[in-house]
Amino acid sequence: MKGKITLSTDKNKLDIVFLHSFLSKTYWAKGRTLEQMKVLVENSLNFGVYLDDVQIGYARLVTDYAQFAYLMDVFITEEHRGKGYSKLLMDFIVNHPELNEVKIWRLASSDAQKLYEQFGFKPLKNPEKLMELIK
């Protein structure tokens, strides 16, 4: 890994325009507006990944800090993938001191199961019990 990598939950360090530009082109957040991105950041626990103080990655968590956490919008930019940054990010998230009491962690992914499995995530035991409402 070249350069200085840092991880932070400081919302003020986030590059919202960068986040919106990247995420609005992904399969899971296609079409997300900049205004929506601002609301999502404001109401989530955010994790920024920075290389020499330039943001190269992100994840956010919606949580009650005691029982449940839902991980979303996890990414490292294409040019920085394969360098271990996503593993650093996931380790930082699952071991974050504010989240020590969280019992149930969930996420949805179409393409990164191998990464998440390294941190204890598994397919749902009883997916038939989960329900959703999509408006």
Side-chain angles (χ1 to χ4, degrees):
M1 291 183 228
K2 293 185 178 185
K4 180 184 175 208
I5 194 82
T6 54
L7 296 107
S8 173
T9 57
D10 183 354
K11 287 180 189 177
N12 296 316
K13 288 185 71 169
L14 295 171
D15 182 340
I16 302 291
V17 172
F18 160 75
L19 294 177
H20 172 256
S21 176
F22 186 92
L23 288 167
S24 66
K25 296 173 188 138
T26 63
Y27 69 86
W28 69 87
K30 191 168 188 71
R32 185 180 289 171
T33 68
L34 182 58
E35 285 306 310
Q36 288 170 326
M37 192 70 230
K38 290 176 183 176
V39 171
L40 296 171
V41 164
E42 188 58 37
N43 293 290
S44 300
L45 176 57
N46 300 274
F47 298 88
V49 182
Y50 306 90
L51 181 61
D52 296 327
D53 295 322
V54 175
Q55 189 162 10
I56 63 161
Y58 177 73
R60 69 185 181 91
L61 202 65
V62 175
T63 184
D64 58 19
Y65 296 92
Q67 183 66 35
F68 185 78
Y70 194 89
L71 183 61
M72 294 175 273
D73 292 341
V74 181
F75 76 88
I76 300 293
T77 56
E78 291 92 345
E79 65 270 22
H80 297 292
R81 292 181 187 160
K83 299 175 184 174
Y85 299 146
S86 61
K87 290 178 187 173
L88 288 174
L89 175 58
M90 285 302 300
D91 185 65
F92 186 69
I93 293 168
V94 299
N95 292 303
H96 194 280
E98 289 183 62
L99 303 169
N100 285 340
E101 299 298 316
V102 174
K103 305 283 186 254
I104 300 168
W105 292 70
R106 293 241 166 90
L107 61 81
S109 176
S110 294
D111 57 4
Q113 285 80 355
K114 297 243 183 272
L115 169 66
Y116 302 121
E117 286 170 356
Q118 295 174 55
F119 296 91
F121 286 86
K122 297 179 172 100
L124 292 173
K125 212 177 238 185
N126 299 298
E128 68 280 359
K129 290 183 179 183
L130 287 180
M131 298 178 71
E132 67 182 358
L133 168 64
I134 299 174
K135 290 185 173 187

